[in-house]
Amino acid sequence: MSLKTKNAGRIAPLALYQEVAERLRQRIFAHELPPGTWVDEQALATQYGISRTPLREALKVLAAEGLVTLKPRRGCYVTEISERDLDEIFSVMALLEGQCAADTARKATDADIKRLLDIHGELEEAARTSDIDGFFEANQAFHQEVQLIADNRWLTQAITDLRKVIKLSRHHSLFIDGRIEQSLAEHRLILNALGRRDINATEQAMREHISSGRRALAKIAAKREAAA
């Protein structure tokens, strides 16, 4: 068997379990597989037309990301996120994204600041037209651009992993009255500090922005609990 043939045989299984992991990841984020759901491996394997081996490899990937929990002798479950989990995750996120913002203030060029202002313009337009999905996408783009400018792949990876876990929450902070306007105001403070290249102020503004998002989620949870 040639080396080319051997390599071709090794690549296919790797691509398969990664594709399966991505499909399951998106179903989890869409809450087609809600938190606490038992993952029926046999049913999924049949649905995808694959053996259970790549499926189990995919579940290991998702377990490493914190999206599913593997329980001995009980199987695999979509991870449930408690209010305490969110408190702890957001406190870490505030530190990490604050550091990213500080690095961005230190490294950003005028062109970098211009890109952030352009993205913020998309945020403003989405808010004006009450486009929640557009606002969410522009907000994600803003934070990703800050990470890109900061240029620290370890920080970016840690933030990306934590944001995946946050998506397990049943709530979304943008749904609370006044949160979009508040988020815009927080972004303006971040941009103002960045424009001045004020490292400390930029870091603090970003930390407060992340913490404010957590407080909004807590209000939603409290209202739903009171109504239950």
Side-chain angles (χ1 to χ4, degrees), residues 151-214:
D151 193 26
N152 183 325
R153 67 189 181 98
W154 301 107
L155 266 178
T156 297
Q157 184 60 57
I159 291 169
T160 299
D161 288 346
L162 287 175
R163 284 197 175 273
K164 288 177 183 176
V165 178
I166 289 173
K167 286 185 179 181
L168 292 169
S169 172
R170 291 184 171 88
H171 313 311
H172 198 297
S173 65
L174 293 180
F175 294 145
I176 192 169
D177 289 342
R179 177 56 192 154
I180 286 181
E181 292 76 13
Q182 183 181 17
S183 181
L184 279 174
E186 291 160 5
H187 275 251
R188 294 185 195 113
L189 288 175
I190 294 168
L191 285 168
N192 184 277
L194 277 172
R196 303 194 314 270
R197 302 301 196 277
D198 188 327
I199 295 172
N200 290 334
T202 303
E203 179 176 6
Q204 186 57 42
M206 181 61 83
R207 286 192 182 188
E208 176 55 29
H209 175 53
I210 301 300
S211 297
S212 180
R214 171 61 190 126

Side-chain angles (χ1 to χ4, degrees), residues 129-143:
T129 58
S130 300
D131 180 1
I132 295 289
D133 289 338
F135 191 94
F136 179 78
E137 290 174 7
N139 184 64
Q140 290 287 95
F142 183 91
H143 285 268

Side-chain angles (χ1 to χ4, degrees), residues 16-33:
L16 178 59
Y17 84 74
Q18 288 179 330
E19 181 180 349
V20 173
E22 179 58 22
R23 289 191 185 188
L24 291 174
R25 191 181 290 117
Q26 293 308 317
R27 291 180 69 179
I28 289 170
F29 290 160
H31 289 257
E32 290 178 28
L33 294 172

Side-chain angles (χ1 to χ4, degrees), residues 65-157:
E65 294 175 359
L67 300 182
V68 301
T69 302
L70 301 173
K71 299 182 179 181
R73 297 181 298 280
R74 294 178 58 191
C76 179
Y77 294 79
V78 178
T79 302
E80 294 186 86
I81 297 298
S82 67
E83 289 300 303
R84 175 178 173 176
D85 289 327
L86 287 173
D87 284 341
E88 294 173 349
I89 290 169
F90 270 86
S91 67
V92 174
M93 284 283 293
L95 291 172
L96 296 178
E97 294 224 32
Q99 182 61 55
C100 247
D103 290 346
T104 295
R106 189 179 298 109
K107 299 177 181 179
T109 64
D110 289 343
D112 292 330
I113 299 296
K114 174 64 166 56
R115 284 199 303 277
L116 288 170
L117 286 169
D118 288 343
I119 296 172
H120 180 77
E122 296 175 16
L123 277 170
E124 296 275 5
E125 177 61 19
R128 187 184 68 79
T129 58
S130 300
D131 180 1
I132 295 289
D133 289 338
F135 191 94
F136 179 78
E137 290 174 7
N139 184 64
Q140 290 287 95
F142 183 91
H143 285 268
Q144 288 169 358
E145 187 65 27
V146 169
Q147 293 163 31
L148 182 65
I149 298 167
D151 193 26
N152 183 325
R153 67 189 181 98
W154 301 107
L155 266 178
T156 297
Q157 184 60 57

